[in-house]
Amino acid sequence: MKGLKRSCYCGDVRREHVGEKITLMGWVNRRRDHGGVIFIDLRDRFGLVQVVFSPEVSEEMFEIADELRKEFVIAIKGEVIARPEGMVNEDLATGAIEIYAEELHILDRAQTPPIQVEDDINSSEEMRLKYRYLDLRRKPMQDNIILRHKVKQAVRNYLDNKDFLDIETPMLTKSTPEGARDFLVPSRVNKGQFFALPQSPQLFKQLLMVSGLERYYQIVRCFRDEDLRADRQPEFTQIDIEMSFMSQEEIMDLIEGMIQEVFKIAGFEAPTEFPHMSYHEAMDRFGSDRPDIRFGLELIDVSDAVKDAEFKVFSGTIAKGGQVKGINVKGGVDFSRKDIDELTDFAGIYGAKGLAWMKIKEDGVQSPIAKFLAENELNSMLDAMGAETGDLLLFVADTPKVVAASLGNLRLKIGKDLGLIDQDEFNFVWITDFPLLEWDEEAKRYVALHHPFTMPKEEDIDLLDKDNAGKVLSQAYDLVLNGIEIGGGSIRINNSKLQSKIFNLLNMDEEEIEEKFGFLLEAFQYGAPPHGGIAFGLDRLVMLLGGLETIRDVIPFPKTQRATCLLTEAPSMVAEAQLEELGIEVEEQIEID
């Protein structure tokens, strides 16, 4: 490359550059031979431009051009020429011009790539992840990474202008209360002891508030050793924010402004509505604390109508403290028995023991359960459901938890199957007033619904005892976008006595509290301001903005759903000598296939 200097990018050349001599560098995207002239599309991150090689300019250069194949890395120097009339490519930003090459330098040759570097790719995800560096050459993937950059840039600019400080917190820290999900890092210097990679900077950002820095943010890597799905990875990026002397409403207002800026820089109209909905309302209407409010199919309680019914599946369930709810599938009367059986099986995944149904036809109600219902009970159900001719009504009778999970997921499935969801729509909703604690039936103890540092609602603090703790609401708030939680936060506890009380309710004894959180409780004794914050999943947010199905498409080098890296073949076994130095003995090392 001696003496070569790129003068502009491939995607920036326009008609106004006609007559100029320019130098471009990039990858051969495509090659065509036409009547003794070679055409290539030269690609860099900024776009494509057509380059013409003619033997009339240089026989030597033309012979080199004849060697060019896809993905060769080259540099060319040439003159910008206007394309002839009728040869302009309106679909290409550089389609009005082409470059007549005068010099050609092959900077590196490429073997035939194992996956195609094209917008529409038919390679398996396994191949795309194994050859991620090739996958990232494709424009859709580069657009995703650029969008990710723009979102981060918008967040930084917004928070910088609001007097927040970008502060790094430790990557090597202490195992959290959810320790089973931590990635542990052995210490060679302190043999037999372990650091943990942070699931969140939660404790450190609270300590920064105690430090008087008042406004903190960090775009930070977090780690969680848990089962994966489309919107989870073992390492992920979090937009982490904390601030002092702010109420819940003030924090939510500030975050809405940030989201509006993110949408603008991402090329979307900024949202203007951020409705609020309580946790209990969300569960009641949608069966989920992260409801997708882009469509209807809301859950409707018909328990009062059937509490005395002869149909014991309904009345018996209600007598045991359960409930009966349904959804109205408008126009669903044509669902076949096979369709309904498939929906029944789907609801069973979430614990439903069955799915009762009614079809509203011109000549009346068709249903296997109608004969067990009195006329007034049936009419009350139909009125409550807003039933009309052509509707399909689906019901689940069970505990409130099972009813919510089964019908909540069923409405999402039907909404997608029937095309009821506008994929181009962005609907936000704040979910507030979460329960502070929930009872874990398996562990026979309370667990924190969010995390144990969440402040109870002031009016509920007096209820913090073992008999009433389940009734306490929290000052917590989640921001949900299109049925996906993108951010969650709360006002934090800033009093050591109250924090200890919460730990006690979580079945932690004084020794465990001191071991895990003694430093935090001590810090609170030296004047801790009221504070709160929120954390956003950057990967999820960018995924939604990009209209994508998985966060793997917005992460440069993601892991598979088995938490492995196909590119580097991590995780891997390590040498016995290294384990010995760390004081670790592995009972059995298993090959990862």
Side-chain angles (χ1 to χ4, degrees):
M1 284 185 60
K2 189 175 181 180
L4 283 176
K5 182 178 180 182
R6 180 158 67 173
S7 59
C8 63
Y9 299 119
C10 294
D12 292 343
V13 191
R14 296 291 187 273
R15 194 184 292 273
E16 57 265 29
H17 296 106
V18 169
E20 294 182 14
K21 299 285 183 74
I22 62 173
T23 301
L24 301 174
M25 299 178 184
W27 286 262
V28 175
N29 193 69
R30 188 180 172 204
R31 171 209 161 110
R32 304 175 301 284
D33 291 355
H34 287 251
V37 177
I38 296 173
F39 295 83
I40 70 157
D41 291 336
L42 186 63
R43 181 191 78 241
D44 63 14
R45 196 188 96 196
F46 301 91
L48 292 171
V49 68
Q50 181 169 281
V51 181
V52 182
F53 298 94
S54 170
E56 295 179 4
V57 176
S58 167
E59 285 282 357
E60 182 182 357
M61 179 189 67
F62 188 79
E63 289 178 6
I64 299 174
D66 194 45
E67 302 175 28
L68 296 179
R69 296 294 182 269
K70 274 192 168 188
E71 301 309 311
F72 273 36
V73 185
I74 66 171
I76 67 103
K77 185 175 183 179
E79 183 177 353
V80 182
I81 305 293
R83 290 201 192 189
E85 192 74 28
M87 299 296 289
V88 172
N89 184 349
E90 300 290 352
D91 296 328
L92 193 63
T94 59
I97 57 89
E98 55 193 8
I99 316 298
Y100 264 68
E102 298 173 359
E103 292 183 29
L104 167 62
H105 303 270
I106 297 177
L107 304 179
D108 198 20
R109 299 171 185 271
Q111 298 180 21
T112 302
I115 65 172
Q116 294 301 309
V117 183
E118 296 174 350
D119 288 3
D120 297 320
I121 190 170
N122 57 12
S123 298
S124 67
E125 186 178 47
E126 182 178 350
M127 289 292 287
R128 289 177 56 206
L129 293 179
K130 182 174 177 60
Y131 298 99
R132 190 60 161 190
Y133 45 85
L134 296 178
D135 192 42
L136 287 172
R137 290 184 189 175
R138 299 189 305 113
K139 187 176 187 303
M141 288 301 298
Q142 294 198 348
D143 287 346
N144 295 344
I145 301 304
I146 292 168
L147 175 60
R148 184 186 180 95
H149 162 75
K150 287 181 176 180
V151 169
K152 291 168 69 176
Q153 186 180 51
V155 168
R156 290 187 187 281
N157 290 342
Y158 179 82
L159 294 175
D160 288 347
N161 289 330
K162 296 290 184 181
D163 298 320
F164 282 79
L165 301 174
D166 182 355
I167 304 174
E168 295 175 349
T169 53
M171 283 287 108
L172 297 176
T173 183
K174 195 170 187 175
S175 186
T176 66
E178 300 84 13
R181 297 177 180 177
D182 282 342
F183 281 101
L184 299 178
V185 181
S187 171
R188 181 186 60 81
V189 176
N190 300 287
K191 191 171 288 189
Q193 296 184 314
F194 295 82
F195 294 105
L197 298 180
Q199 294 187 38
S200 163
Q202 181 65 43
L203 298 179
F204 288 106
K205 67 181 180 179
Q206 288 192 246
L207 290 172
L208 288 172
M209 297 304 100
V210 179
S211 303
L213 290 167
E214 294 207 20
R215 293 194 164 203
Y216 141 96
Y217 82 94
Q218 185 180 188
I219 298 177
V220 60
R221 297 295 273 181
C222 298
F223 307 85
R224 197 165 295 165
D225 191 6
E226 62 184 0
D227 295 336
L228 306 185
R229 60 190 189 202
D231 60 348
R232 280 185 181 167
Q233 283 278 295
E235 53 179 321
F236 55 96
T237 303
Q238 193 163 285
I239 303 169
D240 205 53
I241 304 169
E242 197 80 4
M243 60 208 90
S244 297
F245 306 112
M246 295 274 281
S247 68
Q248 175 174 321
E249 291 72 24
E250 288 173 315
I251 292 174
M252 293 163 75
D253 286 344
L254 183 142
I255 294 304
E256 288 174 15
M258 185 187 81
I259 292 294
Q260 288 170 333
E261 290 303 310
V262 165
F263 266 64
K264 287 177 192 174
I265 204 166
F268 294 101
E269 185 176 345
T272 56
E273 294 187 11
F274 294 81
H276 293 201
M277 186 183 300
S278 74
Y279 168 86
H280 289 293
E281 181 184 355
M283 296 300 294
D284 185 53
R285 292 172 56 191
F286 300 99
S288 173
D289 60 1
R290 49 183 190 281
D292 190 336
I293 61 173
R294 290 175 293 176
F295 68 107
L297 287 181
E298 293 188 21
L299 282 58
I300 299 169
D301 197 331
V302 296
S303 300
D304 282 345
V306 297
K307 61 184 178 182
D308 298 319
E310 181 185 340
F311 188 50
K312 296 303 181 184
V313 171
F314 284 177
S315 57
T317 298
I318 296 167
K320 294 176 183 176
Q323 60 183 189
V324 181
K325 283 189 173 183
I327 57 176
N328 185 342
V329 184
K330 291 292 181 182
V333 72
D334 293 328
F335 276 45
S336 68
R337 185 56 189 266
K338 180 184 176 185
D339 293 333
I340 294 174
D341 286 344
E342 289 176 355
L343 294 178
T344 302
D345 291 341
F346 181 83
I349 296 172
Y350 301 94
K353 300 177 185 67
L355 191 65
W357 58 271
M358 295 180 184
K359 289 184 177 182
I360 315 302
K361 297 194 167 185
E362 293 282 358
D363 57 354
V365 175
Q366 177 190 347
S367 171
I369 68 169
K371 61 186 177 183
F372 300 110
L373 298 170
E375 184 177 354
N376 66 311
E377 293 167 345
L378 181 59
N379 289 335
S380 293
M381 288 180 71
L382 298 181
D383 288 343
M385 297 295 294
E388 300 173 318
T389 300
D391 293 347
L392 170 66
L393 312 181
L394 302 171
F395 302 94
V396 171
D398 216 302
T399 63
K401 187 173 183 178
V402 170
V403 169
S406 54
L407 282 182
N409 283 284
L410 193 62
R411 75 174 285 271
L412 290 175
K413 174 178 171 54
I414 294 172
K416 291 175 184 175
D417 290 348
L418 296 184
L420 303 179
I421 305 173
D422 185 349
Q423 299 297 335
D424 296 324
E425 186 178 353
F426 291 106
N427 273 26
F428 287 91
V429 59
W430 282 107
I431 306 300
T432 62
D433 298 334
F434 287 85
L436 181 71
L437 308 171
E438 61 180 348
W439 183 256
D440 186 325
E441 195 60 47
E442 188 174 327
K444 301 297 180 186
R445 68 178 182 88
Y446 283 111
V447 294
L449 193 67
H450 274 73
H451 56 60
F453 316 106
T454 300
M455 177 71 82
K457 279 188 166 283
E458 290 185 19
E459 59 269 29
D460 289 353
I461 290 178
D462 290 341
L463 297 174
L464 282 171
D465 58 59
K466 296 209 172 186
D467 294 328
N468 297 297
K471 302 174 185 177
V472 177
L473 299 182
S474 67
Q475 297 185 53
Y477 37 87
D478 285 358
L479 185 58
V480 176
L481 173 57
N482 294 353
I484 295 177
E485 178 210 323
I486 60 170
S490 67
I491 300 299
R492 323 300 190 188
I493 296 169
N494 65 315
N495 175 278
S496 59
K497 289 184 179 178
L498 180 56
Q499 185 65 79
S500 293
K501 190 169 189 176
I502 297 295
F503 289 150
N504 289 146
L505 286 171
L506 295 175
N507 212 29
M508 297 172 64
D509 59 30
E510 296 304 319
E511 184 178 346
E512 184 180 4
I513 293 170
E514 179 60 30
E515 179 191 351
K516 291 184 174 178
F517 304 111
F519 63 94
L520 179 69
L521 298 178
E522 183 178 14
F524 283 171
Q525 294 175 19
Y526 298 106
H531 59 281
I534 193 167
F536 282 87
L538 174 68
D539 312 303
R540 288 184 185 179
L541 179 57
V542 177
M543 176 188 75
L544 290 168
L545 289 170
L548 303 165
E549 296 293 326
T550 169
I551 61 171
R552 290 191 294 278
D553 280 344
V554 302
I555 299 173
F557 299 100
K559 306 291 188 292
T560 68
Q561 287 198 338
R562 294 188 62 193
T564 62
C565 175
L566 297 180
L567 175 63
T568 63
E569 298 184 345
S572 61
M573 295 182 289
V574 298
E576 283 291 334
Q578 190 174 356
L579 291 174
E580 186 176 340
E581 188 175 27
L582 292 168
I584 295 175
E585 183 177 345
V586 178
E587 290 186 10
E588 182 181 4
Q589 293 197 347
I590 302 172
E591 292 278 0
I592 298 174
D593 54 46

